[in-house]
Each structure stands twice: as C-alpha cells, then as structure tokens.
Amino acid sequence: MGAQAYISGVFEHPTRKAEGLSLAQLHADCAAGALADAGLKKGDVDGYFCASDAPGIGPLNMVDYLGLDVRHVDATEIGGASYLHHITQAQQAIADSKCNVALITGAGRPRAGAATYWLPQSPDVPDLGFEQPYGPATVALYALAAQRHMHEFGTTSEQLAWVKVAASHHAQHNPQAMLRDVVTVEDVLASPMIADPLHKLDCCVISDGGGAMIVTRPEIARSLGKPLVRVRGSGMAIKGQAGGDVDLTTTGAVKSGAAAFDEAGVRHADIKYASIYDSFTITVVMTLEDLGFCAKGKGGAFVMDGNLISGVGKLPFNTDGGGLCNNHPGGKGGMPKTIEAVRQLRGEAHPAVQVPGCDLALVHGTGGFLGSRHSSATLILERE
C-alpha cells in the first residue's frame, strides 16, 4: 500500500440546473458542503485541487475567490477522471508534507449557461487535422467502440440496455436524480437511435451541479469522528491511437485497474461495490472487462439479468443512479462516482440500495473518448 490519506468529507450539489448560480458559486457551495461534512473550517484547508472546469486560471482564481490560504495547488486536467486523479495527487502531497487538508472541487453548468467540456477546436491540437474532417462527436466516438465490441465479441444492444436498467432501479430512490423512472430493456431499445448502436437511453444525462471532497492526513481524519474511508490503492493511464495501432475494444482501465489492485493488495472478489464511469452503457461494459471483473468480451453477459442491481446482483454499481440517471455535471462525472462510493463505505447510501457490510469499494473514472483517446483512473477505497 502507498502513502496514507483519507477522504474525510464529501458533498454533491443538489441542483441539476443552476439558474442564478455562477460557476464559481457552484464550486464554493460544494467546498462549503464538503467542509461541513468533514467538520472542518475553511482555514484548515492548505491544499487545493481542481480541473479546467474551475473558472479563470484554475487555482489562481479559485483560491482567491474562496478566500483560502494554501501552500499547495494542483490543476491536473484529464477529463472526467480528473477528480479521482486529484485524490491520488492529494494523497502524495500529504505524504510529502506539502499539505494536511486538501480540498478538491468540480462543477459545471452546461444547462444554465455555456458548456465547460467539448471537443477541442484549437488549430494547435495535433489530431485536429486528421479527425475534424470526419465530424467527430462524443456519442459517435463511443458508438464506434460499441460497434467494434459487438463485431468482435457478439455483444448485443439488449446486453447494453441492462446497464441502464440497473441504473434506473437505483435512481428511483434518489430524489435528486434527473431520471427517476425505472426502465426495462425494451424501453431502452425503443428509445431513439442517437449513434448506431447507442440509443437515447444508452447515453448519460447532461446536468449542472458539482461536488467536492476533503482529503486529509491520517491523524486529522481520526480526530474528526467520521467513518474512516482510506485510499488503499490507485492507478491511472492514458490510452490513445498508438501511432495507428488502434484497439477500440480496450480501455486504459487495463493498466489503471491493475495498478490499483496491485497497490491495494486485494482481489476482485473482495470488492463489495463499484462506481463505474457511465457516460454510455458501453463504457461500463468495457470498463468492467478491463478492470478484470470478467473476461474480455464477456462484459455483456456480466451485466445482464440485474447483476449490477443492489440487492440482486453480484456487483452493485452506481447506486445513486450514476451518470445515466442521476448527475453528470459539466460532462465530467468522476466526482459523483467517488462521492457515492464514500456514502456506501460510510453506510450512508439510501437504505434501499445500501450494500450490507460494504468495506471495500472501487471507483473508476474515464475522461475523453473511447473511440479516440482517453484517460482512466481507478481508486480502491476501504472503510477502516
């Protein structure tokens, strides 16, 4: 196991359409909520972490806006996996005595204002000239991976639909979820086709909102009187086009997951709950395979028949409804994934979806696009 750090506070913003709230205010609201959850004050924070969704020059503007006095900052941007990677970075900063209490914030308001996450348009982006003429869009790039997965392994639209079905069974218990209606496989298949083979209900919601997390050194965490959630293992990876040697059916989770399990020293069978990035249903299927929960090409069979539903299946996932039903703030959903894992480990998830005896949870974030280039970050969290 690596350096010791604990997630001592979490907060998910309740809004899904932030009319009347600026982006900076969303970050501030989330910071205040996470500090209150931890039982800490603003003056306790000496490290701040954010991604490009923070307005202005990231930490430079936000540290000033929040009124923080910090000695360490980090503004790593790797898409939706950023906030998981921030936890790893905070863990290392704490081990190196760079900070004691790290605040991580993330937020977006694409519904009420301008989107904060989009395909790059700058002429300096090296891949632009090769890809832009073909009109890439987020859903199309994921559909490309889904089509190839179906071709190679016989994965079906019905199997993908089970991911949405499981998410909807959980979202019905979350009053903040954007989509709370329970759906069936047939409902998913009957929804409009967006980018073949992905239907509308195979796609995540787009929401405003955000969240924040507090990461602390062990002695501070133990003084707060909250359930102790320790970062036991982590890993990250970047996967791209490999100079033309493209494999559309494999994600960076192969490397990030292996690193996290190796550092944590646990087995897949030990994991009681998983928060898996669910930008699209295919994202979950491929990620579960690459994390090692099932063999390559068997992800479709693994998610079928309610296997991801809490109280029904072997691997409960995304018990808040995930990005498919609950919240995907600013198109970057790694923050709510981690927050729900902490809730599960604390025993604070909704009683209808709380996993009994949940002492080990996995969180996985994806940033970018499975069909071109993306980041993967994996955390294994433990309740002491």
Side-chain angles (χ1 to χ4, degrees), residues 274-285:
S275 279
I276 305 294
Y277 204 95
D278 56 345
S279 46
F280 301 90
T281 52
I282 186 60
T283 315
V284 176
V285 169

Side-chain angles (χ1 to χ4, degrees), residues 5-29:
Y6 292 75
I7 302 176
S8 298
V10 295
F11 179 80
E12 179 184 3
H13 206 288
T15 190
R16 299 297 181 262
K17 190 171 185 181
E19 293 178 328
L21 290 173
S22 70
L23 184 57
Q25 186 63 55
L26 286 173
H27 280 267
D29 289 349

Side-chain angles (χ1 to χ4, degrees), residues 283-341:
T283 315
V284 176
V285 169
M286 289 174 56
T287 301
L288 288 170
E289 294 173 349
D290 293 341
L291 288 172
F293 285 103
C294 59
K296 194 64 196 172
K298 302 298 183 182
F302 184 84
V303 303
M304 287 181 64
D305 302 322
N307 197 42
L308 301 181
I309 299 175
S310 184
V312 176
K314 293 187 295 185
L315 185 65
F317 102 123
N318 296 8
T319 45
D320 61 342
L324 288 169
C325 295
N326 171 36
N327 188 18
H328 196 229
K332 298 165 72 174
M335 180 73 76
K337 298 293 175 296
T338 312
I339 291 170
E340 182 65 7

Side-chain angles (χ1 to χ4, degrees), residues 7-9 35 37-41 44 101 214 216-228:
I7 302 176
S8 298
L35 284 167
D37 181 62
L40 292 167
K41 299 185 182 302
D44 297 317
V101 176
I214 304 292
T216 64
R217 66 172 54 255
E219 54 269 33
I220 293 175
R222 295 188 181 108
S223 74
L224 298 174
K226 302 286 290 188
L228 293 172

Side-chain angles (χ1 to χ4, degrees), residues 15 18 45 47 108 134 157 237 272 281 341 354:
T15 190
V45 176
Y134 299 95
S157 292
K272 304 291 179 56
T281 52
Q354 176 65 53

Side-chain angles (χ1 to χ4, degrees), residues 97-318:
S97 298
K98 301 293 186 184
C99 64
N100 296 312
V101 176
L103 166 65
I104 305 167
T105 66
R109 55 189 308 274
R111 296 184 71 205
T116 58
Y117 189 53
W118 56 87
L119 282 165
Q121 298 297 320
S122 167
D124 292 325
V125 175
D127 44 82
L128 189 71
F130 298 95
E131 297 177 4
Q132 200 65 22
Y134 299 95
T138 301
V139 64
L141 289 168
Y142 280 81
L144 189 66
Q147 284 281 20
R148 189 65 194 179
H149 201 276
M150 289 178 166
H151 173 76
E152 289 196 22
F153 304 115
T155 306
T156 66
S157 292
E158 289 80 2
Q159 290 173 330
L160 296 185
W162 272 104
V163 177
K164 174 70 173 192
V165 170
S168 74
H169 273 267
H170 298 150
Q172 67 176 316
H173 305 293
N174 182 355
Q176 295 173 357
M178 286 185 68
L179 304 177
R180 296 187 65 193
D181 292 340
V182 175
V183 300
T184 65
V185 169
E186 292 72 25
D187 291 331
V188 178
L189 300 183
S191 65
M193 185 70 74
I194 304 300
D196 194 8
L198 299 178
H199 298 79
K200 181 178 180 180
L201 294 184
D202 286 300
C203 306
C204 69
V205 300
I206 297 296
S207 66
D208 296 350
M213 301 178 286
I214 304 292
V215 181
T216 64
R217 66 172 54 255
E219 54 269 33
I220 293 175
R222 295 188 181 108
S223 74
L224 298 174
K226 302 286 290 188
L228 293 172
V229 176
R230 178 163 62 110
V231 182
R232 180 154 176 165
S234 65
M236 69 86 61
I238 302 293
K239 182 176 182 292
Q241 299 293 296
D245 185 15
V246 180
D247 176 8
L248 289 171
T249 64
T250 302
T251 74
V254 169
K255 294 182 178 179
S256 66
F261 274 100
D262 182 62
E263 184 175 276
V266 301
R267 303 169 302 158
H268 291 80
D270 298 325
I271 302 297
K272 304 291 179 56
Y273 165 81
S275 279
I276 305 294
Y277 204 95
D278 56 345
S279 46
F280 301 90
T281 52
I282 186 60
T283 315
V284 176
V285 169
M286 289 174 56
T287 301
L288 288 170
E289 294 173 349
D290 293 341
L291 288 172
F293 285 103
C294 59
K296 194 64 196 172
K298 302 298 183 182
F302 184 84
V303 303
M304 287 181 64
D305 302 322
N307 197 42
L308 301 181
I309 299 175
S310 184
V312 176
K314 293 187 295 185
L315 185 65
F317 102 123
N318 296 8

